[in-house]
């Protein structure tokens, strides 16, 4: 009798806890999510060219990340990671580590890709990786952000093995291959950076001669 | 005004000096930035916008040759105290949730007889062309100083707007996979050297919302919250929203609701 009661009590608490967990991850917008999507889509100036408006499309990853507030259950996360890993493409020559000096330039560039009518970037403006917005890299650059982890001495600490070089390339190409819903953009997937540009940033991170690894 | 300008220049000099000191530690960086902000705050050029805004509020203008003194910003006609702090709000006469800017535009259209297009043409300043709306918002914002932000969003339409704002806050899209939450969903982060508020908390949202409108040193003018959020979308590499769009008002409602209880101190001053 006591055992049965304990079992019943345990189950009830368990169910209540899982109900609470479900509530804790209510999708943003709740019951108004559909209305909100409709409202958002119709909030943009009619003068925006169609090809700009395509930037509002969400792929499966974006939708799921929004739904789970960037913290998806592991099962969903694993599925997204597989999906994203399958998108990775490599440079034609197959070399994944390029010129760290080119990578250093790209890491510092935060402009490019701004649209609209108020302060758009001029057409053809270099798009960079904007790495310093979120990461510490070379010691001499103190204006770094902290949204991502510090990558100072990354190559020195992690080594310049082939495996690590491929990991860094893949991470920059499609960050969601490793951590679904990370804050980091998917630079290769969106063709924000070319495969060649990514190899230069890989070099900036890993090459022993790069200022990232030289104090 | 010249004294204020001098102080702004001193602030800029402090920033330049700081930018030159390469070996600074994180804490030192924060200290120097705090000093820079302090120097800026002492003599905010936005005070001039406030004075101009008061003039625009009282002046008889438009085809109807009327002032804005009978404008109802949610506390009754002509009642300005605490009005900004309680916006956005549901208005029965328009059957809409409106923010300070959409409501001011509404008053300029209904009371003064301007067309919406005339009033919103210059919704933000361009070099040599000042915006009346920036001045009016600065004037109205200052009338809430010392008061608590009060947007509980209890009316069903307000509650809906707040939820829709939350939806947009987490919505990821564009060539950088951005959402508002990417930069503004965690405590204690920076982008480059700029501190990022966690807008999902009362303290973080409060720190942001209670100081707008703000003078932007880098832009040389006051930015309203509409301007601020429309620029966030530019930074996200999205297309440009309409001025006064519902999605912007929804974000404002979500943020003001989160910031409710924090004390207004405007106009702010930012980098």
């Amino acid at each position: 009798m006591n055992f049965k009661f304990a079992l019943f009590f345990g189950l009830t608490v368990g169910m209540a806890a899982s109900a609470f967990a479900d509530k804790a991850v209510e999708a943003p917008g709740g019951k108004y999510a559909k209305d909100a999507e409709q409202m958002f889509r119709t909030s943009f100036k009619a003068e925006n060219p169609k090809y700009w408006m395509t930037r509002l499309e969400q792929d499966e990853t974006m939708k799921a990340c929004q739904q789970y507030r960037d913290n998806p259950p592991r099962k969903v996360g694993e599925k997204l990671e597989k999906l994203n890993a399958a998108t990775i493409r490599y440079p034609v020559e197959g070399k994944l580590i390029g010129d760290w000096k080119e990578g250093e330039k790209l890491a510092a560039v935060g402009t490019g890709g701004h649209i609209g009518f108020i302060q758009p970037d001029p057409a053809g403006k270099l798009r960079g990786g904007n790495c310093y917005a979120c990461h510490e890299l070379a010691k001499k650059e103190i204006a770094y952000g902290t949204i991502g982890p510090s990558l100072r001495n990354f190559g020195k600490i992690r080594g310049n093995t082939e495996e690590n070089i491929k990991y860094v390339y893949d991470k920059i190409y499609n960050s969601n291959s490793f951590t679904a819903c990370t804050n980091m953009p998917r630079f290769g997937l969106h063709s924000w950076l070319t495969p060649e540009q990514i190899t230069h940033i890989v070099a900036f991170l890993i090459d022993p001669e790069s200022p990232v690894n030289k104090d | 005004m010249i004294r204020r300008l001098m102080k702004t220049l001193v602030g800029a000099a402090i920033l330049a000096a700081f930018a030159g000191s390469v070996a600074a530690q994180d804490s030192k960086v924060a200290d120097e930035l705090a000093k820079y902000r302090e120097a800026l705050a002492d003599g905010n050029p936005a005070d001039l916008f406030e004075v101009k805004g008061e003039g625009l509020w009282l002046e008889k203008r438009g085809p109807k040759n009327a002032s804005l003194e009978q404008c109802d910003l949610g506390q009754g006609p002509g009642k300005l105290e605490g009005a900004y702090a309680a916006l956005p709000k549901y208005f029965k006469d328009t059957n809409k949730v409106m923010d300070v800017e959409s409501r001011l535009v509404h008053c300029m259209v209904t009371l003064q007889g301007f067309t919406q297009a005339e009033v919103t043409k210059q919704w933000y300043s361009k070099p040599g062309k000042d915006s009346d709306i920036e001045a009016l918002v600065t004037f109205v914002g200052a009338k809430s100083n010392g008061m608590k932000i009060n947007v509980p969003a209890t009316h069903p339409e307000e509650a809906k707007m707040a939820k829709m704002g939350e939806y947009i806050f987490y919505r990821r899209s564009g060539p950088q996979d951005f959402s508002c939450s990417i930069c503004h969903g965690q405590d204690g982060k920076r982008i480059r050297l700029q501190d990022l508020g966690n807008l999902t908390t009362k303290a973080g949202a409060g720190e942001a919302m209670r100081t707008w409108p703000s003078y932007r040193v880098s832009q040389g003018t006051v930015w309203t919250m509409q301007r601020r959020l429309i620029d966030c979308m530019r930074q996200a590499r999205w297309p440009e929203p309409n001025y006064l769009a519902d999605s912007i008002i929804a974000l404002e409602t979500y943020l003001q609701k989160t910031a409710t209880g924090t004390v207004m101190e405007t106009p702010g001053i930012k980098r």
Side-chain angles (χ1 to χ4, degrees):
Chain A
M1 180 73 181
N2 268 347
F3 173 73
K4 267 190 187 166
F5 180 77
L7 188 67
F8 173 75
F9 182 75
L11 279 174
T12 311
V13 169
M15 278 165 71
S18 79
F20 178 76
D22 281 348
K23 202 177 173 212
V25 292
E26 185 207 34
K31 62 179 171 179
Y32 301 115
K34 246 191 178 162
D35 290 343
E37 178 66 19
Q38 165 81 9
M39 180 195 68
F40 181 73
R41 292 292 190 122
T42 52
S43 280
F44 292 86
K45 287 175 89 96
E47 300 93 297
N48 288 296
K50 257 197 185 135
Y51 71 97
W52 283 2
M53 294 299 285
T54 60
R55 292 189 180 192
L56 300 177
E57 303 294 334
Q58 292 180 293
D59 68 6
E60 190 181 339
T61 304
M62 291 160 166
K63 275 186 199 156
C65 294
Q66 175 186 13
Q67 184 188 339
Y68 293 108
R69 300 173 192 240
D70 298 317
N71 192 15
R74 201 72 289 272
K75 229 177 149 182
V76 175
E78 274 166 23
K79 191 184 155 213
L80 295 175
E81 285 153 14
K82 260 190 204 151
L83 198 83
N84 279 284
T87 67
I88 299 175
R89 299 289 174 268
Y90 297 95
V92 191
E93 321 85 73
K95 202 171 161 236
L96 299 188
I97 184 158
D99 177 356
W100 68 259
K101 284 177 189 151
E102 288 303 310
E104 182 174 34
K105 283 183 219 160
L106 289 165
V109 173
T111 52
H114 294 98
I115 52 176
F117 308 94
I118 302 178
Q119 282 176 284
D121 283 319
K125 176 121 188 161
L126 178 71
R127 287 194 307 229
N130 202 17
C131 311
Y132 281 110
C134 301
H135 297 283
E136 180 182 21
L137 294 144
K139 188 187 175 185
K140 66 183 171 193
E141 178 55 271
I142 59 153
Y144 60 84
T146 58
I147 298 171
S150 169
L151 300 173
R152 200 168 139 202
N153 287 321
F154 180 85
K156 211 188 261 178
I157 295 162
R158 302 281 288 262
N160 56 356
T161 60
E162 226 164 274
E163 194 190 358
N164 197 33
I165 288 166
K166 182 176 180 297
Y167 163 71
V168 175
Y169 181 93
D170 288 355
K171 178 80 184 181
I172 299 169
Y173 194 101
N174 192 330
S175 56
N176 280 248
S177 312
F178 301 95
T179 317
C181 305
T182 170
N183 292 332
M184 183 166 158
R186 296 172 289 175
F187 292 98
L189 178 80
H190 292 296
S191 302
W192 186 268
L193 297 172
T194 65
E196 283 68 27
Q197 286 176 316
I198 294 175
T199 67
H200 298 325
I201 298 175
V202 171
F204 182 52
L205 279 161
I206 290 186
D207 196 313
E209 292 307 308
S210 156
V212 168
N213 300 312
K214 288 213 160 194
D215 269 347
Chain B
M1 182 183 177
I2 288 170
R3 212 187 86 225
R4 279 178 181 149
L5 186 67
M6 285 304 290
K7 282 181 175 168
T8 307
L9 288 174
V10 169
I14 289 172
L15 181 72
F18 140 74
S21 74
V22 168
Q25 301 273 308
D26 263 14
S27 60
K28 201 174 156 201
V29 170
D31 286 352
E32 294 296 323
L33 274 178
K35 265 192 238 165
Y36 166 61
R37 292 206 180 94
E38 212 175 287
L40 287 179
D42 187 11
N44 186 343
D47 296 347
L48 299 170
F49 287 70
E50 194 183 325
V51 173
K52 187 186 163 196
E54 182 170 20
L56 286 166
W57 181 264
L58 298 170
E59 194 189 333
K60 287 186 173 136
R61 299 195 311 147
K64 293 187 182 171
N65 194 36
S67 77
L68 288 169
E69 288 166 287
Q70 288 306 303
C71 180
D72 180 359
L73 293 172
Q75 308 301 310
K79 295 223 165 92
L80 289 169
E81 268 67 31
Y84 187 106
L87 288 167
K89 194 178 186 311
Y90 173 77
F91 286 87
K92 226 176 174 178
D93 56 3
T94 56
N95 190 28
K96 271 180 141 178
V97 176
M98 301 171 90
D99 67 351
V100 66
E101 289 169 75
S102 49
R103 195 62 191 174
L104 279 168
V105 166
H106 170 80
C107 286
M108 286 188 259
V109 171
T110 54
L111 298 176
Q112 298 182 312
F114 290 114
T115 66
Q116 170 123 355
E118 282 169 338
V119 181
T120 57
K121 191 169 174 246
Q122 204 67 49
W123 67 271
Y124 65 93
S125 291
K126 293 168 192 153
K129 284 188 194 164
D130 290 346
S131 159
D132 289 348
I133 288 179
E134 284 169 0
L136 280 164
V137 171
T138 309
F139 167 64
V140 173
K143 293 282 182 193
S144 283
N145 281 345
M147 291 174 213
K148 285 180 177 168
I149 291 177
N150 180 27
V151 182
T154 41
H155 187 283
E157 289 300 322
E158 295 163 356
K160 184 178 175 184
M161 275 304 242
K163 282 307 265 184
M164 296 208 282
E166 179 196 61
Y167 176 90
I168 297 167
F169 187 83
Y170 287 98
R171 190 185 189 282
R172 297 187 79 160
S173 69
Q176 296 264 272
D177 295 305
F178 284 153
S179 68
C180 307
S181 149
I182 295 308
C183 288
H184 294 290
Q186 303 168 79
D187 286 327
K189 299 290 181 186
R190 280 193 336 237
I191 185 159
R192 287 280 186 163
L193 290 178
Q194 183 67 32
D195 288 328
L196 297 163
N198 180 353
L199 301 181
T200 67
T201 66
K202 179 182 167 184
E207 203 41 47
M209 300 307 283
R210 68 186 205 86
T211 54
W212 288 88
S214 265
Y215 186 81
R216 290 284 313 273
V217 177
S218 60
Q219 310 291 322
T221 189
V222 165
W223 274 25
T224 65
M225 192 40 74
Q226 285 269 339
R227 178 84 168 96
R228 173 62 273 173
L229 291 172
I230 288 172
D231 195 63
C232 288
M233 296 201 179
R234 183 186 71 91
Q235 291 287 23
R237 271 74 173 181
W238 295 342
E240 191 177 311
N242 285 311
Y243 178 56
L244 309 181
D246 276 341
S247 63
I248 304 294
I249 296 172
L251 276 170
E252 289 172 347
T253 310
Y254 169 64
L255 295 172
Q256 284 282 80
K257 185 186 175 202
T258 313
T260 286
T262 58
V263 178
M264 291 275 297
E265 194 182 344
T266 69
I269 188 155
K270 318 262 176 187
R271 118 193 123 77

